[in-house]
Amino acid sequence: MNPVALITGATSAIGAAAALAFAEAGYSVALAARRVQILNSVAAEIEQRGGRALAVGADVTQVTDVDKVVSRTLARFGRLDVAFNNAGSGARPTPLADLSEKTFEHTMRVNVLGTFLCMRAEILAIVEHGGGAIVNMSSTAGLQGVAGLSPYCAGKYAIVGMSKAAALDYADKNVRINVVAPGPIATERIDKEQQQRIGQYVPVKRVGQPSEVAELVRWLCSPSAAFITGAVVPIDGGRLAGVPSFAAGS
């Protein structure tokens, strides 16, 4: 029987790339997101390539939706082995004192509550079938402050802490829980001109690709990463390594 992967936020550039990466590795893939039309197209592409896919429209902030995704995954594929909790949200850059409560609450609900609800349902299913792995989506903004992004930073920092605690809770149940922290990635929100401009400030002189994040997630869920749990892995082209050296005499 094929192993089974569940990906939330599967309509985003990174989520869709991860779904395709797991399918290419032989996984049956359950996909969850709110944009059902796009979700169905990702599932159709997987099946056109010979894979098995299930698309379930869902809002990760709603416990009934999350439970529905996991129950339908189990009904269709019979098990759950790995999950990538990629669904997230961010607001336009705004100084903290100018933020509304609504904006702050929405960002935290999607990033923190959504990740919590998904992990809670996924862990129970994974434990029942002998163990597996979960990867949660944070950001380099979950490892350092970013001006104007207080709610986003708060949510992504919270995901790191919650994941580390959960990794300790379930290490002896054969459930590994890790975090990826991407830097600038070429998603649908960044056009080519912006990508080139941002890339100038990345040590490797480019932004990352969704497929590169997807491959990291897939590897973290693989047997090759069997001794890794509670880890946070940046994928940022070296941005968190430090600052470039200053020119002599400057």
Side-chain angles (χ1 to χ4, degrees), residues 80 122-132 170 173-175:
L80 179 61
E122 293 157 358
I123 287 168
L124 293 174
I126 292 171
V127 168
E128 184 178 348
H129 292 92
Y170 294 97
K173 297 291 193 295
N174 194 33
V175 180

Side-chain angles (χ1 to χ4, degrees), residues 11-205:
T11 56
S12 72
I14 292 174
L20 292 168
F22 276 105
E24 289 172 359
Y27 285 76
S28 298
V29 184
L31 315 175
R34 291 179 300 170
R35 296 180 292 175
V36 176
Q37 186 174 356
I38 300 174
L39 193 69
N40 287 335
S41 69
V42 176
E45 183 176 355
I46 289 171
E47 292 184 337
Q48 287 168 5
R49 297 184 182 190
R52 301 177 68 204
L54 169 68
V56 185
D59 179 346
V60 297
T61 69
Q62 302 300 313
V63 65
T64 53
D65 281 14
V66 171
D67 290 345
K68 175 183 67 176
V69 171
V70 173
S71 64
R72 287 191 57 185
T73 300
L74 296 175
R76 173 72 180 277
F77 299 126
R79 60 186 298 122
L80 179 61
D81 298 284
V82 305
F84 175 35
N85 293 315
N86 173 64
S89 178
R92 294 175 62 85
T94 305
L96 186 145
D98 296 328
L99 285 164
S100 68
E101 295 94 330
K102 183 177 180 180
T103 296
F104 186 87
E105 182 179 8
H106 174 75
T107 304
M108 295 296 284
R109 279 183 63 83
V110 176
N111 292 317
V112 183
L113 178 64
T115 301
F116 162 73
L117 292 176
C118 289
M119 274 205 296
R120 185 175 66 177
E122 293 157 358
I123 287 168
L124 293 174
I126 292 171
V127 168
E128 184 178 348
H129 292 92
I134 294 174
V135 174
N136 293 323
M137 173 62 86
S138 183
S139 165
T140 52
L143 300 173
Q144 64 178 11
V146 181
L149 297 183
S150 296
Y152 188 74
C153 289
K156 294 302 185 180
Y157 266 87
I159 287 170
V160 170
M162 181 166 55
S163 300
K164 285 179 173 288
L168 297 174
D169 289 340
Y170 294 97
D172 63 352
K173 297 291 193 295
N174 194 33
V175 180
R176 297 185 299 103
I177 300 172
N178 293 297
V179 179
V180 291
I185 304 296
T187 67
E188 61 271 17
R189 297 182 180 182
I190 308 176
D191 63 32
K192 290 186 178 180
E193 183 177 340
Q194 290 174 311
Q195 291 175 28
Q196 292 176 345
R197 185 168 65 253
I198 293 168
Q200 296 174 5
Y201 300 97
V202 178
V204 300
K205 300 303 179 186

